[in-house]
Amino acid sequence: MSENKQYTVSIYTENNIGLLNRISAIFQRRHMNVESLNTSPSEIDGVSRFTLVINITESQMKKIIGQIEKQVEVIKAFYHTEDEIIYQESCLFKIKSELLFDERQIQNIIKESNARIVTVNKEFFAIEKSGRKEEIDLLYRELSVFGIMQFTRSGRIAVTKDEMKISTMLKAFQD
Amino acid sequence: MDTKTIQNNTKDTETTERISGSEAVIKCLLAEGVDILYGYPGGAIMPVYDELYKYQDKIHHVLSRHEQGAAHAAQGYARISGKVGVAMATSGPGATNLITGIADAQIDSTPLVCITGQVGSHLLGSDAFQETDIVGISTPVTKWNHQITKASEIPEVFAKAFYIAKSGRPGPVLIDITKDAQIELFDFKYKKCKGVRSYKPVPDTDENSLKAAAELINNAKKPLIVWGQGIILGKAEEEFKAVIEKAGIPSAWTILGASAIPTSHPLNVGMVGMHGNYAPNVLTNECDVLIAIGMRFDDRVTGNLETYAKQAKIVHFEIDPAEVDKNVKTDIAVLGDAKTSLTELLPLLHPNSHTDWHQKFKDLYKIEYEKVIKNDLHPTKEGLTMGEVLKEINIQTKGEAAIVSDVGQHQMIACRYAEFNTTKSNITSGGLGTMGFALPAAIGAKMAAPEREVIMIAGDGGYQMNIQELGTIFQQKVPVKIVVLNNEFLGMVRQWQQLFFEKRYASTEMVNPDFVAIAKGYHIEAQKVSERKDLKAAIKEMIDCKGPYFLEVRVEKEDNVFPMIPTGASVSDIRLE
């Protein structure tokens, strides 16, 4: 039995209603839990890009890619290991304003983690941090000691170190 | 039934005209060559039905008695004609009733276009009367689906739907149209779809993999072919026959591959799978090269994957890349459609006969004949067997009938014993195993091929799952022949209960109505046979009947279907008793 690994999946699709449902159903049907999911426009006009993170075996991953690519409006799907991509995640913390002044350590944490204060008002202040998963996890651990009013983090966004040649593939589809 | 007299052009419309969305739907269907559709009207699809009234000389609408019946009829039509079947229903329950047929078509790769009405676009998501999210519901069981909220979308979506349904590995497509889009006027012009940017229906066949496959096949001492429906869907029957005859390879079929080559062909060694033939199942685990063509290694075919053909090199000819290595790891995959791949494979193959290897199939057939087939076809005990009914049908139709079977024991018997001389003659629900499939599917099959004898075989359970379609048969005067093999049980479940649940027959015994009276209530000629001496004459009367005919045969109550591979067992552990 091969072991589960973390894979980042990049899916280039037509920008059509309903594809999110089709793609998520592929994972749901096989009882696979998606760690994170992000959809956005891609570098090609009218083409969307899904980025997913999932922990499964490579054999499962290959089969899933086949099922994803089988969808009529999916142009191409790729999967990558951690060292093949450059990725970022983003998060927002909402914290009581009084802590910013009462707990001087918080200011050091913000500075050292390269986080950014987005807004400050009487009741709360908000911090934004982008980075790798571990950096965000660390910031969460450090801030949680003082109490976090709200926390949210984004899905992963990633680009590959190698060229993906998606434009070439699109041209081949059209020929 | 006058569908043969209706001829439609299948071409683009060159000029624009201002018409309603509903009329556009009809014009799209006409442009795609649709001359028959199955459906059931209702509030949200009424504008389309209103237009159909105007076009009834061009499109024959068959009013089913349940939307599931419409979907299965469209499947039967598609399976025997090779064309796209069309089914239509209203929103809400009408649409959800189509789902079983759509799911069946998806798993059995049947080209369907299903049209559903939807509430007005301003009501979407409001839980309006008869509103369901049919696009969401049908997503996992359609090849593609789309909701239309503006009339102007209709031509492009319909063109795309037909293209997707029939190209590559075929499948069902659903188009949901809001009521306001059906009513809205717009400038209609139709252009057939020739391609979708993100969709490559047929992968390129790689020359190197083809050569590698040929080399393995040429060097094999004990090759075995297992073919599936891909041969029929790819219209590759002749190419397939040429390949097996040149290479002299024993060839077995999956349930949906049946009839691609005649049953009597000397290289046809029978059916594989749970109730398949003894020889091809056992020898799957002895062959040195297993060549799968247009089949998908379904679990009912492979049994336990841990022991399936482990000694063999696996070559897989397949149109759908997602099927390669999905269940069985292949050594060589040849992507592409069967017709092209087999055409290109033929010149690379060396002539061969594999005589000794063939003898093994013959030896095992003798064992199966003595232990199973003889008792099924030439029983000595009093009760009628399902097998002897099939044998008599074979004799009287000379193997030329299209057999539409339901799901259960009779289905396995029909597939095992029906003789097929012609391709597209075995119409059954393979992957989904849908009880209730046969009666409506037989309607569609007979309407698509009125020149053919279409005989439906069902059990007493499945027959009653869509028995209301007798009304459709009566109204449409479809001369389909209906054979119900009545054992007063849900026979296959009872067999499992007997073998694996200590004969605890939980809810499988059926108290049945007077089937003959029901058929006669629909003005369908009917009779019941309980004794062997009456069987031949009854089948003759059925076949001689010009109209639809119902024949009930009371068969042995507790007969079992053998051979059998118990779930999870190896194909070579197939039981003969």
Side-chain angles (χ1 to χ4, degrees):
Chain A
M1 276 291 276
S2 52
E3 282 181 15
N4 282 2
K5 258 185 171 177
Q6 188 168 82
Y7 293 102
T8 301
V9 182
S10 304
I11 311 165
Y12 284 85
T13 74
E14 299 293 351
N15 183 16
N16 288 355
I17 289 169
L19 258 178
L20 177 60
N21 191 3
R22 280 195 174 268
I23 289 169
S24 63
I26 290 171
F27 293 94
Q28 181 193 14
R29 184 178 173 192
R30 291 162 182 82
H31 214 95
M32 291 172 173
N33 193 18
V34 173
E35 302 290 323
S36 88
L37 186 151
N38 179 73
T39 71
S40 69
S42 74
E43 66 274 22
I44 303 156
D45 271 354
V47 172
S48 295
R49 181 168 169 167
F50 287 62
T51 308
L52 290 100
V53 180
I54 187 157
N55 285 306
I56 49 178
T57 67
E58 184 160 23
S59 152
Q60 286 174 316
M61 191 69 254
K62 282 181 181 169
K63 289 179 191 179
I64 289 287
I65 291 289
Q67 295 300 328
I68 293 170
E69 288 191 336
K70 194 169 156 166
Q71 305 305 315
V72 168
E73 284 156 332
V74 168
I75 297 162
K76 188 74 190 162
F78 305 87
Y79 70 96
H80 326 279
T81 55
E82 295 285 279
D83 52 2
E84 292 169 342
I85 55 168
I86 298 151
Y87 80 82
Q88 291 281 282
E89 290 171 15
S90 185
C91 68
L92 279 174
F93 294 88
K94 182 173 150 185
I95 296 170
K96 276 186 186 168
S97 291
E98 61 197 50
L99 293 173
L100 192 57
F101 307 104
D102 298 347
E103 302 283 354
R104 299 301 296 250
Q105 181 60 12
I106 286 187
Q107 290 184 23
N108 292 335
I109 292 169
I110 294 169
K111 200 172 161 193
E112 283 163 19
S113 64
N114 287 323
R116 187 170 65 91
I117 295 177
V118 179
T119 187
V120 184
N121 63 32
K122 273 201 292 188
E123 281 79 37
F124 66 85
F125 67 100
I127 303 169
E128 181 273 341
K129 159 87 185 146
S130 293
R132 291 178 76 88
K133 181 176 179 300
E134 299 75 24
E135 296 173 69
I136 292 171
D137 287 345
L138 175 66
L139 184 58
Y140 182 88
R141 283 198 301 275
E142 288 176 336
L143 290 175
S144 59
V145 176
F146 305 100
I148 298 167
M149 292 170 77
Q150 284 182 37
F151 170 72
T152 183
R153 68 195 295 167
S154 72
R156 175 176 292 192
I157 52 170
V159 290
T160 54
K161 291 175 184 169
D162 290 338
E163 191 189 353
M164 285 172 96
K165 296 185 176 165
I166 185 70
S167 299
T168 322
M169 282 171 198
L170 266 176
K171 193 169 179 308
F173 268 119
Q174 285 164 309
D175 286 345
Chain B
M1 200 175 62
D2 55 355
T3 56
K4 275 283 151 182
T5 61
I6 297 172
Q7 296 292 327
N8 295 313
N9 293 325
T10 58
K11 58 182 184 185
D12 302 343
T13 60
E14 286 163 11
T15 52
T16 56
E17 50 183 329
R18 194 155 183 83
I19 58 172
S20 70
S22 297
E23 191 166 7
V25 169
I26 311 296
K27 284 183 175 286
C28 292
L29 295 177
L30 289 171
E32 291 293 338
V34 175
D35 53 21
I36 189 164
L37 78 156
Y38 301 86
Y40 206 101
I45 194 72
M46 272 177 67
V48 175
Y49 271 87
D50 188 56
E51 283 299 332
L52 260 178
Y53 190 75
K54 196 163 84 188
Y55 284 90
Q56 54 191 298
D57 60 327
K58 289 194 166 62
I59 294 191
H60 182 68
H61 178 268
V62 177
L63 174 65
S64 64
R65 294 302 187 267
H66 186 292
E67 291 86 350
Q68 187 187 350
H72 290 323
Q75 286 181 275
Y77 174 89
R79 290 276 291 273
I80 206 163
S81 67
K83 296 198 283 187
V84 177
V86 183
M88 189 158 74
T90 190
S91 63
T96 55
N97 282 346
L98 289 174
I99 289 293
T100 303
I102 294 172
D104 195 289
Q106 169 83 340
I107 200 161
D108 281 354
S109 309
T110 307
L112 282 194
V113 168
C114 294
I115 303 158
T116 50
Q118 183 56 278
V119 300
S121 54
H122 66 290
L123 291 170
L124 286 172
S126 70
D127 296 330
F129 176 67
Q130 293 195 330
E131 187 205 359
T132 57
D133 173 17
I134 196 61
V135 171
I137 291 170
S138 66
T139 290
V141 290
T142 48
K143 187 173 172 186
W144 184 70
N145 61 8
H146 189 85
Q147 185 174 67
I148 293 173
T149 54
K150 288 188 170 50
S152 57
E153 296 174 70
I154 288 172
E156 193 184 337
V157 170
F158 269 73
K160 196 171 162 185
F162 275 86
Y163 174 73
I164 291 168
K166 66 189 172 194
S167 58
R169 181 176 179 179
V173 166
L174 181 134
I175 307 169
D176 193 39
I177 316 171
T178 59
K179 200 164 178 181
D180 49 323
Q182 294 170 42
I183 295 163
E184 192 185 0
L185 296 174
F186 77 112
D187 293 327
F188 175 82
K189 192 177 179 182
Y190 196 74
K191 195 162 179 265
K192 289 188 88 170
C193 179
K194 300 210 167 60
V196 175
R197 178 170 74 167
S198 54
Y199 169 58
K200 191 171 170 61
V202 182
D204 297 328
T205 305
D206 170 47
E207 201 183 329
N208 290 332
S209 62
L210 204 60
K211 281 181 184 165
E215 194 182 343
L216 259 188
I217 295 167
N218 286 334
N219 292 327
K221 300 283 178 251
K222 296 190 285 185
L224 171 64
I225 285 175
V226 179
W227 89 81
Q229 194 189 198
I231 300 288
I232 297 169
L233 292 171
K235 300 180 178 63
E237 292 92 340
E238 286 309 312
E239 292 77 5
F240 175 63
K241 201 148 117 345
V243 161
I244 63 170
E245 286 174 356
K246 185 174 182 186
I249 302 175
S251 302
W253 38 276
T254 69
I255 188 170
L256 292 186
S259 84
I261 61 168
T263 313
S264 57
H265 192 286
L267 292 166
N268 183 339
V269 295
M271 180 166 88
V272 288
M274 184 173 269
H275 293 288
N277 291 102
Y278 191 50
N281 272 323
V282 169
L283 296 176
T284 294
N285 282 355
E286 282 189 34
C287 65
D288 57 356
V289 178
L290 180 69
I291 306 132
I293 309 178
M295 58 83 81
R296 58 186 184 87
F297 293 108
D298 179 79
D299 56 281
R300 282 293 196 269
V301 164
T302 63
N304 184 0
L305 280 172
E306 298 299 315
T307 55
Y308 182 78
K310 286 294 171 196
Q311 78 297 339
K313 296 275 186 194
I314 309 280
V315 182
H316 195 175
F317 289 79
E318 177 56 50
I319 197 167
D320 179 356
E323 290 296 346
V324 173
D325 294 339
K326 188 178 89 175
N327 296 330
V328 171
K329 183 89 183 89
T330 56
D331 293 281
I332 296 163
V334 183
L335 295 176
D337 81 299
K339 198 175 185 76
T340 310
S341 303
L342 295 176
T343 302
E344 290 174 10
L345 177 70
L346 186 64
L348 304 175
L349 294 179
H350 299 159
N352 212 327
S353 58
H354 298 291
T355 315
D356 294 344
W357 175 230
H358 273 287
Q359 191 56 46
K360 287 201 162 200
F361 288 85
K362 289 174 187 162
D363 294 344
L364 291 175
Y365 177 79
K366 277 183 201 157
I367 296 170
E368 184 181 346
Y369 184 84
E370 283 304 317
K371 295 227 171 194
V372 179
I373 299 171
K374 193 165 79 175
N375 297 327
D376 281 347
L377 301 187
H378 307 284
T380 49
K381 57 187 178 183
E382 195 182 335
L384 282 163
T385 66
M386 296 185 186
E388 66 187 308
V389 180
L390 263 298
K391 183 191 71 179
E392 193 55 41
I393 289 171
N394 287 338
I395 292 168
Q396 296 201 31
T397 61
K398 301 181 178 66
E400 294 298 340
I403 303 291
V404 184
S405 56
D406 211 75
V407 170
Q409 285 184 316
H410 70 278
Q411 177 192 32
M412 294 298 113
I413 294 290
C415 291
R416 282 175 55 78
Y417 294 122
E419 284 176 11
F420 300 117
N421 292 335
T422 313
T423 187
K424 300 195 188 85
S425 291
N426 184 43
I427 296 159
T428 195
S429 168
L432 200 65
T434 306
M435 286 174 70
F437 171 86
L439 189 62
I443 295 172
K446 184 65 183 173
M447 293 182 109
E451 73 287 358
R452 296 199 64 187
E453 188 70 76
V454 174
I455 299 180
M456 183 215 89
I457 313 273
D460 44 316
Y463 177 57
Q464 292 179 83
M465 278 204 178
N466 271 316
I467 196 169
Q468 77 286 345
E469 296 308 319
L470 290 175
T472 312
I473 290 170
F474 165 55
Q475 183 172 354
Q476 300 290 328
K477 300 182 175 49
V478 192
V480 65
K481 307 298 163 59
I482 304 157
V483 179
V484 169
L485 303 176
N486 182 3
N487 57 10
E488 297 181 314
F489 265 115
L490 299 176
M492 189 60 94
V493 184
R494 187 211 56 73
Q495 175 170 339
W496 281 50
Q497 288 170 334
Q498 181 189 338
L499 298 176
F500 311 118
F501 292 88
E502 297 168 335
K503 286 195 176 180
R504 289 152 63 88
Y505 293 161
S507 297
T508 42
E509 191 159 14
M510 297 199 100
V511 177
N512 286 321
D514 183 342
F515 288 129
V516 169
I518 289 172
K520 286 189 172 169
Y522 283 100
H523 306 282
I524 293 169
E525 285 193 46
Q527 72 165 308
K528 178 165 78 177
V529 169
S530 306
E531 292 185 43
R532 188 163 291 130
K533 65 179 174 54
D534 301 324
L535 182 64
K536 190 173 174 180
I539 290 175
K540 183 168 187 327
E541 186 177 320
M542 174 180 82
I543 288 167
D544 288 346
C545 179
K546 298 289 176 215
Y549 194 96
F550 173 83
L551 175 64
E552 176 187 355
V553 184
R554 301 296 290 259
V555 295
E556 190 75 358
K557 279 191 79 167
E558 296 186 36
D559 252 358
N560 288 337
V561 184
F562 285 107
M564 181 179 187
I565 303 166
T567 311
S570 165
V571 286
S572 50
D573 294 332
I574 185 166
R575 289 171 57 170
L576 289 169
E577 53 194 349

